[in-house]
Amino acid sequence: MRVLIYVEGPSDKLAMEALLASLIDDKSQQGISIKFFSVKGSDNSKGGDAKKDLVTKTPIAAIDIICNPPDSIVVVMPDLYPKNKGFEHETVQELENGILNNFNQALQSKGINDNRLRERFKFFCFKHDLEALILAAESQLRSVLGVNSLNVTWTRPVEDQNHNVPPKNIVEGIFRKCGKKYKGTVDAPRILGNARYQDIAEQCPQGFGLFVDFLENI
């Protein structure tokens, strides 16, 4: 079985590979391949809008993937932030409805009526973005920054931030206060690679926790 997981950018891909390394390895030994793909390349080399492309184009491309071979599962995993990219949405449910609608419309346009294909197309999201997981990995974050405490507060649970102050903004502010600049492709995998994915899932049950449950049970 192949599980192909599409995320917005390279920082999401690298962070997930680092955080979930043990789970990916366990599933590989069971004959299940789990691979992450970013819609936008390093330094935005592919151009365009990563979230918009992920929520509008990837559901359509997923149909060909899950048809050939038939043991493939495609997962689309965007950030909830920013809202209204690709179509109107502000909540997780609205984002999911829009993506599934794009997928179902593509099935209809191809004349495909097979519920088995719908069962192999999955949606999850980062709420509100990947950096919520970094806030959940607070001890690993302090270790990377070389500090004993963080003089920054944020809403808890970490997935309960909002569109005005998404987790990435908070993480960037923490780095600035420590005299550093946050670089997602370097710092996200470095921090999350030292965390237990089970601990992060427990603190982020609304988005990441559901995704982990899915992977553990395939």
Side-chain angles (χ1 to χ4, degrees), residues 1-7 32-38 54 58 61-62 64-66 68-69 71-77 120-122 124 211 214-215 218:
M1 176 183 289
R2 299 189 311 161
V3 182
L4 295 80
I5 303 159
Y6 290 85
V7 294
I32 300 171
S33 169
I34 298 174
K35 292 188 180 298
F36 287 86
F37 301 89
S38 63
L54 181 59
T58 305
D64 291 334
I65 297 172
I66 59 182
N68 299 294
D71 65 342
S72 297
I73 296 174
V74 171
V75 177
V76 173
M77 194 172 183
R120 291 192 282 112
F121 179 74
K122 305 293 182 181
F124 299 95
F211 175 59
F214 160 73
L215 291 181
I218 56 176

Side-chain angles (χ1 to χ4, degrees), residues 122-186:
K122 305 293 182 181
F123 162 85
F124 299 95
C125 81
F126 296 109
K127 186 174 181 284
H128 284 73
D129 53 36
L130 169 75
E131 281 71 20
L133 310 188
I134 292 178
L135 296 179
E138 186 174 344
S139 63
Q140 289 80 14
L141 173 58
R142 291 198 310 268
S143 177
V144 164
L145 290 172
V147 298
N148 295 322
S149 63
L150 300 173
N151 297 319
V152 177
T153 59
W154 56 83
T155 300
R156 300 174 191 271
V158 295
E159 289 180 305
D160 285 346
Q161 310 308 315
N162 58 58
H163 285 288
N164 295 322
V165 187
K168 185 174 182 179
N169 287 15
I170 299 171
V171 170
E172 288 175 338
I174 291 171
F175 270 71
R176 282 195 299 270
K177 285 200 171 188
C178 293
K180 301 177 185 293
K181 183 177 180 180
Y182 174 70
K183 183 172 177 60
T185 53
V186 176

